[in-house]
Amino acid sequence: MTIVLTPVWHNGVQKLKVTSRPPPARPAKGLLPVAFNEDVHYARCMAQLRSKDKDIEKNIYLTQLKDADLNTFYRICLNNMAEITPLIYTPTVGDACLQFRTTSFISLKDKGNIGKILRNWPRVDEARISVVTDGSRILGLGDLGVNGMPISIGKLSLYVAGAGIRPESTVPICLDMGTDTQRYLDDPLYLGLRQRRPSLDEAIEFMDEFMHEMSVVFPKLLIQHEDFSSAKAFAFIDRYRDQYPLFNDDIQGTGAVVLSGFLNAAKLSSAASGRPLTDHKILFLGAGSAGVGVAMQLMSFFKLQGLSDEEARSRIYLCDSQGLIYDARGPMAEHKKFFSRKDYEGPPMKDLTNIVNYVQPTALLGLSTTKGAFSESVIRAMSALNARPIVFPLSNPVRLSECEFHEAVEWSNGNVLFASGSPFPEEAFDGHMLYPGQGNNMYIFPGLGLGAIIARACKVTDSMVEASSLGLANSLTAAERDDDLLYPRVERIREISGQIALAVIRAAQKAGVDRSSELRSMGDRELLAFVQERMWHP
């Protein structure tokens, strides 16, 4: 069943008309050709999909197929993960957001009535996972307002495909909290509120009601926050993480997937240099919610090597659009202060090559959405310092990536340990094939969500997030390690999600936040089988 919230106007005030429609039924046999065959139907759908020459057209086709034939849509996803994931999520979902024209949202104008709206959801008892966005910081595209709804829909499709979450248990929500993008305020076809976004205090007042009502109406629901602006993302996760089963994928999910790839990259880099793992230093370009969230998560890498919190923090440097972040530079956003350097008091340092030469990092990570920021000069400087430099340009989509794989390969003479946010093709170099890693959050959040749901966790702890990262890092096969892969092949996503869910459940049990106490007596093999049995299959 799908809820449609349609804005209507009465005496100059916008209200929501709530209607519902049942999910599309599979056609009765009498309505199908006598010789109908599901395998032939599947092949025809794949042929139609591949006949389209633009990714956005493929996205539209898949969206329509999902609405018309859920089982075939997810069969296609599961059988072709590497091909389909970029079409239903990063990077094509960014284009889908820009063309979005749907009407499903909860508005600031609904304050005081949010619970009534949520209770119209037709399958309240089946709801297990919700992805919630306000569309304020989408994929490097900025504030898209209600046009961010495809983000929630796309993420939930990956929960279903990647971890076997039942489709009917997913709840996509876009919060219409206005927009600061002038072209949408001026656009007669824009369906959201034509007003500027509220202050943080006003947003928190609205979110207090929303989060409370979500917990009342959907008592078994895990909530994922997605693509909120940096200030609100940190404020909301800090405020609600101990009250509700909640995590922020930009802050925690991105941090976990990068930590996983970094663990594997650091071992390869140290093996090449002969330097201990404790010698690594990480330089970030980008200090928004994702950048700081990843930096916080990567402290775990150093603490796993026996370093203290302060020692771990000292190994991490951040840059923003004004250059190296340090205390003497002057006032800065609150979330940047934790990693602000106290050991530098010189003039502002803005050139990234100069910063690399000053910091002498073993790893360079980009979450800046600045195309080409990792220039030839920067990569060559990293290569001069390291036998195998770690370079992770993580910004999405491809057009905003700090560098491309072929550039990093060429400028590092084939020695780079590379992972990106968006997919890049493999590269032949010096007679052998090099494979780029993709630090895609879909490696983490489906398994993390599945584990939290099965454990019935009352909150998502840092230890559960770290467990998801370690579970991913340890999931490489021998063949994948032989190819120097930093992440496993995405075709194994269901297997990987099961392993991550197992690790997350164990972490929830150890933290005492699980409510499925009957799972505690199971051995790992029995519990993994239990997890796998609960995965939905089309």
Side-chain angles (χ1 to χ4, degrees):
M1 191 77 69
T2 300
I3 287 293
V4 179
L5 307 176
T6 307
V8 295
W9 293 86
H10 180 70
N11 294 332
V13 177
Q14 186 190 57
K15 297 184 179 297
L16 290 177
K17 177 182 177 182
V18 181
T19 56
S20 63
R21 66 173 186 266
R26 295 184 67 81
K29 287 293 182 184
L31 300 178
L32 292 170
V34 174
F36 179 81
N37 178 287
E38 288 193 356
D39 291 335
V40 173
H41 174 57
Y42 173 92
R44 285 171 59 85
C45 289
M46 287 301 300
Q48 283 184 278
L49 174 67
R50 288 169 174 165
S51 72
K52 302 180 185 303
D53 60 358
K54 293 183 175 63
D55 285 349
I56 186 62
E57 291 178 355
K58 294 179 181 181
N59 174 279
I60 293 168
Y61 174 78
L62 288 167
T63 300
Q64 292 171 333
L65 180 64
K66 179 183 176 183
D67 200 35
D69 189 345
L70 199 70
N71 281 343
T72 300
F73 170 80
Y74 281 113
R75 277 188 69 196
I76 287 174
C77 288
L78 280 170
N79 293 340
N80 306 274
M81 287 299 296
E83 178 181 357
I84 301 303
T85 298
L87 300 176
I88 64 174
Y89 201 64
T90 302
T92 312
V93 72
D95 291 332
C97 286
L98 294 175
Q99 301 186 32
F100 186 60
R101 295 292 184 224
T102 193
T103 59
S104 300
F105 57 87
I106 294 175
S107 164
L108 278 172
K109 301 294 184 182
D110 299 319
K111 191 174 180 298
N113 295 296
I114 294 174
K116 293 179 182 177
I117 294 171
L118 294 177
R119 286 182 181 87
N120 283 290
W121 192 258
R123 292 178 168 175
V124 167
D125 292 337
E126 297 180 47
R128 293 294 183 274
I129 179 69
S130 180
V131 175
V132 179
T133 186
D134 72 346
S136 58
R137 193 189 60 82
I138 302 290
L139 291 168
L141 300 175
D143 183 350
L144 302 188
V146 298
N147 294 335
M149 187 63 171
I151 295 296
S152 294
I153 295 169
K155 276 274 166 112
L156 288 169
S157 292
L158 293 179
Y159 269 108
V160 177
I165 305 292
R166 289 178 292 108
E168 62 269 23
S169 70
T170 63
V171 184
I173 293 179
C174 185
L175 302 176
D176 185 4
M177 302 173 75
T179 179
D180 289 332
T181 301
Q182 191 62 45
R183 70 177 181 276
Y184 294 132
L185 296 173
D186 296 338
D187 183 358
L189 298 180
Y190 178 68
L191 291 170
L193 291 174
R194 286 184 175 81
Q195 65 182 56
R196 297 281 175 182
R197 290 189 176 272
S199 67
L200 180 57
D201 287 344
E202 292 176 282
I204 286 174
E205 189 177 348
F206 172 77
M207 287 297 290
D208 281 351
E209 179 184 346
F210 171 74
M211 292 296 294
H212 171 72
E213 293 296 347
M214 287 284 279
S215 71
V216 171
V217 176
F218 305 116
K220 298 178 181 179
L221 193 72
L222 172 69
I223 300 173
Q224 175 184 316
H225 280 185
E226 186 76 21
D227 287 341
F228 285 85
S229 64
S230 294
K232 291 185 175 68
F234 281 105
F236 295 160
I237 194 67
D238 289 344
R239 188 174 182 87
Y240 305 121
R241 64 179 303 175
D242 292 327
Q243 298 181 52
Y244 310 108
L246 166 73
F247 75 101
N248 182 299
D249 190 51
D250 302 301
I251 297 173
Q252 295 162 289
T254 303
V257 77
V258 176
L259 172 60
S260 176
F262 186 80
L263 280 162
N264 290 324
K267 292 173 184 176
L268 291 171
S269 180
S270 285
S273 68
R275 295 161 62 183
L277 292 174
T278 51
D279 271 9
H280 281 281
K281 284 195 285 188
I282 307 171
L283 174 62
F284 281 84
L285 179 64
S289 59
V292 174
V294 172
M296 295 290 290
Q297 194 68 55
L298 283 181
M299 287 181 62
S300 297
F301 168 81
F302 295 105
K303 290 192 285 185
L304 287 168
Q305 315 312 320
L307 273 63
S308 67
D309 281 0
E310 190 54 42
E311 289 170 331
R313 180 165 61 168
S314 73
R315 311 299 293 175
I316 296 173
Y317 296 71
L318 265 62
C319 299
D320 59 14
S321 60
Q322 300 176 57
L324 183 68
I325 296 174
Y326 60 102
D327 286 2
R329 198 180 76 175
M332 67 188 71
E334 192 65 32
H335 65 273
K336 299 180 183 182
K337 293 180 180 177
F338 184 78
F339 289 103
S340 179
R341 305 299 302 187
K342 296 174 173 54
D343 54 2
Y344 179 78
E345 296 182 351
M349 195 180 298
K350 297 185 177 181
D351 181 80
L352 187 56
T353 302
N354 291 340
I355 296 171
V356 166
N357 287 326
Y358 168 73
V359 174
Q360 298 195 349
T362 57
L364 177 63
L365 276 63
L367 295 108
S368 67
T369 67
T370 304
K371 179 67 175 178
F374 294 174
S375 64
E376 180 175 358
S377 172
V378 170
I379 301 297
R380 292 199 182 280
M382 286 292 297
S383 300
L385 293 166
N386 303 282
R388 299 209 68 184
I390 300 169
V391 178
F392 286 11
L394 297 169
S395 293
N396 290 318
V398 170
R399 63 181 180 81
L400 299 177
S401 181
E402 286 81 7
C403 73
E404 300 192 9
F405 184 48
H406 70 91
E407 295 172 329
V409 168
E410 178 186 349
W411 298 335
S412 69
N413 198 33
N415 293 318
V416 70
L417 293 164
F418 181 98
S420 57
S422 292
F424 286 104
E426 59 199 32
E427 292 286 329
F429 184 86
D430 198 21
H432 61 283
M433 196 63 68
L434 302 179
Y435 301 93
Q438 187 187 354
N440 193 320
N441 289 22
M442 72 164 293
Y443 279 118
I444 289 289
F445 67 78
L448 175 58
L450 180 64
I453 290 168
I454 291 177
R456 293 183 58 229
C458 60
K459 65 179 182 178
V460 178
T461 65
D462 288 340
S463 62
M464 292 165 67
V465 177
E466 184 176 293
S468 71
S469 183
L470 295 175
L472 175 59
N474 293 328
S475 68
L476 291 172
T477 65
E480 289 167 341
R481 292 189 186 279
D482 287 343
D483 286 334
D484 282 357
L485 298 192
L486 306 184
Y487 294 99
R489 300 192 188 281
V490 73
E491 290 82 0
R492 297 175 48 232
I493 188 64
R494 282 283 180 106
E495 174 192 344
I496 296 161
S497 292
Q499 294 284 351
I500 289 174
L502 170 63
V504 168
I505 293 168
R506 292 302 190 211
Q509 293 169 346
K510 188 174 182 180
V513 298
D514 63 312
R515 290 174 287 186
S516 296
S517 57
E518 69 279 7
L519 303 181
R520 297 176 188 172
S521 61
M522 293 184 180
D524 283 356
R525 182 175 297 180
E526 183 184 5
L527 181 54
L528 179 59
F530 181 86
V531 168
Q532 292 169 336
E533 287 168 4
R534 272 142 189 81
M535 289 183 176
W536 176 83
H537 292 273

